[in-house]
Amino acid sequence: VTTVDGPGVTRVLRALHAAGSMSRSELGSTTGLNRSTVASLVNELVQAGIVEEGSGSSGTVGRPSLTVSAVPDSLAVIGWDLRVDSSTAVVEGFGGRILHRWRKEHRRGSTDPYEVAARVVTGSSQIAEELPDHVIVAGIGCAMPGVIDPGGDPPRSTIHRAPSLGWVDVPFGVILGEAMRERFGSHVPVILGNDAKLGAMAEWTRGAGRNSRAMVFISGDVGIGGGVIVEGELLTGASGYAGEIGHMRFDPDGPVCRCGARGCWETAIGINTIVRSAHLDPVTAGLVDVVRAASAGDGVAAQALAEAARAVGQGLASVVNLVNPDTVVLGGHLAELLGNYRHTIIEELRFTLSRDSTMVRLVEPELGPDSIVIGAAELAFDRALSTPARALAEAASLRSE
Ligand SMILES: [Zn+2]
């Protein structure tokens, strides 16, 4: 156990977590700390076993600089992506390496908050059993398909609205925190975040948005979520509702949305709508099945895909007018749609004010299906690294004794 703490330590840890490893001089220029401060902080962190030094080449001319590297299994967090029909988790180590993956499909319908919490507790316990003994977990981040108050104390967060789960004002942070404590007897903090916003953050820092000035991440699933990042700042709005582009009014005469309004964008491009339009069953079929049917000559499936692609482009035109992004990342089933119907989507972007669809880069997530779950892990890491001494004190193996 160490006493490492303070803003300087946090800056060094954040830089190393983002990069994995860097030379002492790069660490100095990234953190703005002087040479001797970096040296003494690095020494403390080496003693604590969180970082190690080696004589790697730093690539710069002159005196070879020691390479400082994060020790991935010295500190870990679990990120969860909780959806209506599946739960995915990753264990992310310090420095960004994924140490372990876990996934479970479950039938749709059971969205009781206590059942969802129990799923996370059981899963966390299974994950802990599969990890090496010495790995300690300093936090748990959960991505939820809902609006979460950004001003609330994170471990006690309440989910205001989660239409796909049917939740209104559910204090899920408290429910899950208590369930974790009951099972493991530890105080590992549980932090909730909106799934699309977390996906946006992960793509911004480790994926397709790394060189972007203004990026929109759109998560495709039963619901459609959005995360907007401009100059590194995530747009949350006054109370967390910013970026809820799935509920843009798309067709005033359209079907009623799960949010209660009529004709929201997600009623036109959500996965269930596309699968149903192709005359398939959303409980058993996904977008892949629709694409397969279409390429086998099923005209109804082909039309469902083409219509959805057009609707994606039409809604995107509004988003592009509003945000002027240089990058739009389409996740989930929208990534598959982009892969097959890019031309149709881009065609609709002619109807933006700039009239220049080449101004915006339409891409699939670089982190693949992991953007959201990695974003959830990063959320937990962000908190842990802000007060590393507390995080190390709270960290636990999460094994039931
Ligand atoms: Zn809606």
Side-chain angles (χ1 to χ4, degrees), residues 2-22:
T2 164
T3 55
V4 285
D5 225 342
V9 174
T10 290
R11 267 192 265 171
V12 168
L13 291 175
R14 287 213 163 115
L16 283 173
H17 180 58
S21 69
M22 58 209 318

Side-chain angles (χ1 to χ4, degrees), residues 80-81 142-149 159 161-163 191-201 217 219 224-228 234-236 240-244 372 375-376 379:
W80 282 93
D81 179 4
C142 289
M144 315 283 305
V147 176
I148 296 151
D149 187 352
I159 304 210
R161 293 286 307 267
I191 307 159
L192 312 181
N194 171 268
D195 51 5
K197 291 189 173 69
L198 293 175
M201 287 306 288
F217 176 88
S219 67
I224 301 295
V228 178
L234 177 75
L235 194 68
T236 60
Y241 286 83
E244 287 296 325
I372 291 172
L379 179 69

Side-chain angles (χ1 to χ4, degrees), residues 247 257 259 264:
H247 301 284
C257 178
C259 76
C264 295

